[in-house]
């Protein structure tokens, strides 16, 4: 996850596409010139060891958009493809019942 965040910071589309699951990878990426990534907080992880084939990373990525601070929250699913960890998709938001 940290390497993918860094790739967004430096706008490395080739790396991002290479580390994206073949089943969910878009054909191309476009970067918004008005976004500046400013930090990454890893909130939690599950799986992801050498013995796992799937894992999740819950994170909050901080950025400024047109100079205004904001953030992106996501709980992402990763899996191994050809021995490499790749991003699959965001997990659906879970809501508690009242």
């Amino acid at each position: 996850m940290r390497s993918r965040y860094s790739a967004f910071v430096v706008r490395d589309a080739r790396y991002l596409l290479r580390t994206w699951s073949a089943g969910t990878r878009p054909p191309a990426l476009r970067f918004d010139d008005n976004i500046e990534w400013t930090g990454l907080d890893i909130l939690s992880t599950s799986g992801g060891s050498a013995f796992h084939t799937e894992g999740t990373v819950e994170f909050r990525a901080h950025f400024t958009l047109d100079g205004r601070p904001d953030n992106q929250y996501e709980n992402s699913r990763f899996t191994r493809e050809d021995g490499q960890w790749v991003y699959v998709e965001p997990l659906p938001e879970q809501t508690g019942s009242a």
Side-chain angles (χ1 to χ4, degrees):
M1 181 61 225
R2 292 182 197 283
S3 68
R4 286 183 53 82
Y5 170 79
S6 296
F8 272 103
V9 170
V10 299
R11 301 172 188 223
D12 187 347
R14 289 183 66 198
Y15 179 82
L16 289 165
L17 292 171
R18 190 172 68 249
T19 59
W20 206 311
S21 173
T24 58
R25 178 186 312 131
L29 291 177
R30 289 182 353 142
F31 298 101
D32 187 332
D33 290 336
N34 298 320
I35 291 180
E36 179 183 348
W37 296 99
T38 58
L40 176 67
D41 298 322
I42 301 295
L43 305 174
S44 70
T45 63
S46 69
S49 78
F51 302 104
H52 294 106
T53 57
E54 289 193 1
T56 65
V57 177
E58 181 182 17
F59 70 91
R60 186 173 318 280
H62 302 273
F63 62 91
T64 60
L65 175 60
D66 294 326
R68 292 183 308 273
D70 205 344
N71 67 79
Q72 174 186 338
Y73 167 85
E74 186 172 307
N75 194 0
S76 300
R77 185 165 72 97
F78 288 81
T79 190
R80 285 189 193 266
E81 289 181 8
D82 299 322
Q84 302 296 313
W85 284 106
V86 293
Y87 171 79
V88 178
E89 62 192 349
L91 294 173
E93 287 191 42
Q94 298 180 0
T95 58
S97 57

